[in-house]
Amino acid sequence: MQDDVYRYNKERWEALVEADALFTRPMLDLDTEKARAYLGLERLGLPGDLAGRKVLCLAGGGGQQSAAFALLGADVTVLDISSGQLERDRSAAEHYGVGIRTIQGDMRDLSALDESSFDLVWHPYSLTFVPDSRIVFREVARVVARGGHYYLMCANPFFAGLTHDSWNGEGYTLKLPYTDEAEASYPDQDWVYDRKAPGRLISEPREYTQTLSRIVNSLTREGFVLTLLSEVRGDYPGAEPGSWSHFTGVAPPWLEFVWEYRPGIVGG
C-alpha cells in the first residue's frame, strides 16, 4: 500500500533515524528487570510470563520494545515502515544475543504475517500517522490469536493537534474540528532530535485525528474486548504554564488501551 501516506511516513522516519531521534535509539542497557519495568506489563494487566509467546511490535521499530520483549523470552517480530529503524532492532538483537524477526511494511497491510499467529500485538504511538484506523484494526484482528491481546498507545483524540505552544495565557486552545481523519501538522518537540544541527531539515509529522468513538466501536466490531484504558499524563505541580510539563498535566496527550481478542462475544 505505497500511497502518499506511506511514502511521506517512510521518508520522514528514515530522516529521523539519520538524525538519531529519541524514538530511533536502541536500548542497549537493559536486563530482564529493567525490560519488565520498561514495558509495564503488570500495570497493564498483561501476562508477565513471556517465554515462548509470540509478540508483534507493530510500527514499533528502533530496538526498544523489541529488545525488551526478546530479553523476557518472547518470540519477537517487528514490522515497521523504516529500514533504518529495523536495522536498529537487528543491532539490539545482536547486542543481547537474541533473535528478532524484522519485516519492512505498512501497518495497514499485514499480509506478510500468518493469521492468528500472535499472542500479543504491541502498537506504540503511530496510529495517527494513517488516516483510517479501521484498516489497521482489521489487520490486527486477522493476525492476533483468540484470547490474545492488543496494546495500543495513541493520541488522546480530545487534544489532537495541541502542543505546549498552544498556550494562550489562560489555557490551551483547541482549533481542529473533532472528526475522523482531519489532518494536522506541527513541529517536532525539541527533545525529539537536535533541530538546530546545521543543514538538518526534517518534515513535520503529518497526523490524522481518530475519534474515540471510531477507535472503540471499530475494535469492538472486530471482536476485541476492552480490558484497560489509561491516560498518559504529566505531573505538573509548579510547572510553568506553556511548558511541556504543564501541558501534559492539563491536557493528557496520549491514551493507552489493552484489548483482548474474543471474536463471537461481541461484534466479531
Side-chain angles (χ1 to χ4, degrees):
M1 187 180 290
Q2 296 191 16
D3 56 8
D4 288 341
V5 172
Y6 179 95
R7 288 187 287 271
Y8 188 91
N9 286 328
K10 183 177 183 296
E11 180 179 328
R12 173 174 153 75
W13 276 96
E14 299 296 9
L16 287 170
V17 171
E18 183 68 24
D20 197 35
L22 178 64
F23 307 117
T24 72
R25 301 169 195 164
M27 300 184 76
L28 302 179
D29 62 346
L30 294 172
D31 55 27
T32 55
E33 184 177 347
K34 289 180 180 178
R36 196 172 299 279
Y38 167 62
L39 295 170
L41 300 176
E42 182 177 347
R43 175 181 64 83
L44 297 169
L46 288 168
D49 182 7
L50 293 173
R53 293 177 66 82
K54 295 185 180 297
V55 174
L56 170 63
C57 294
L58 180 58
Q64 300 173 0
Q65 295 97 345
S66 63
F69 279 116
L71 277 173
L72 295 175
D75 180 350
V76 181
T77 297
V78 185
L79 186 140
D80 197 274
I81 201 169
S82 162
S83 60
Q85 283 283 76
L86 294 173
E87 177 57 36
R88 298 198 168 188
D89 287 287
R90 292 189 286 270
S91 296
E94 182 178 359
H95 174 79
Y96 291 113
V98 297
I100 294 174
R101 178 190 181 199
T102 59
I103 300 174
Q104 186 173 7
D106 190 319
M107 71 179 91
R108 297 170 295 173
D109 179 6
L110 305 185
S111 57
L113 305 172
D114 293 335
E115 292 185 17
S116 306
S117 54
F118 293 98
D119 301 298
L120 172 62
V121 176
W122 187 272
H123 193 174
Y125 188 97
S126 63
L127 186 68
T128 54
F129 299 144
V130 298
D132 192 346
S133 59
R134 296 170 296 185
I135 300 172
V136 180
F137 299 153
R138 282 196 294 270
E139 291 294 287
V140 172
R142 190 184 66 81
V143 302
V144 70
R146 179 182 290 270
H149 291 90
Y150 176 36
Y151 165 84
L152 170 65
M153 182 184 188
C154 63
N156 187 329
F158 300 113
F159 305 124
L162 288 183
T163 72
H164 62 293
D165 293 324
S166 304
W167 178 255
N168 65 6
E170 296 183 352
Y172 298 94
T173 305
L174 283 169
K175 299 177 183 177
L176 291 178
Y178 185 69
T179 183
D180 287 299
E181 303 183 31
E183 185 177 326
S185 190
Y186 47 83
D188 285 298
Q189 303 301 324
D190 290 338
W191 42 262
V192 174
Y193 65 91
D194 182 6
R195 297 169 59 203
K196 298 179 181 178
R200 178 163 293 156
L201 180 63
I202 299 177
S203 301
E204 296 180 348
R206 183 185 292 171
E207 301 193 355
Y208 302 88
T209 56
Q210 315 280 349
T211 62
L212 186 61
S213 57
R214 174 179 280 190
I215 292 171
V216 172
N217 293 330
S218 299
L219 283 163
T220 299
R221 291 190 195 102
E222 294 295 339
F224 287 94
V225 176
L226 181 63
T227 63
L228 179 136
L229 170 60
S230 174
E231 298 139 324
V232 183
R233 51 179 173 262
D235 182 13
Y236 75 97
E240 181 72 19
S243 67
W244 179 255
S245 295
H246 185 268
F247 166 67
T248 58
V250 172
W254 306 294
L255 297 179
E256 290 178 300
F257 297 88
V258 177
W259 301 84
E260 185 173 349
Y261 189 49
R262 293 290 183 186
I265 294 179
V266 287

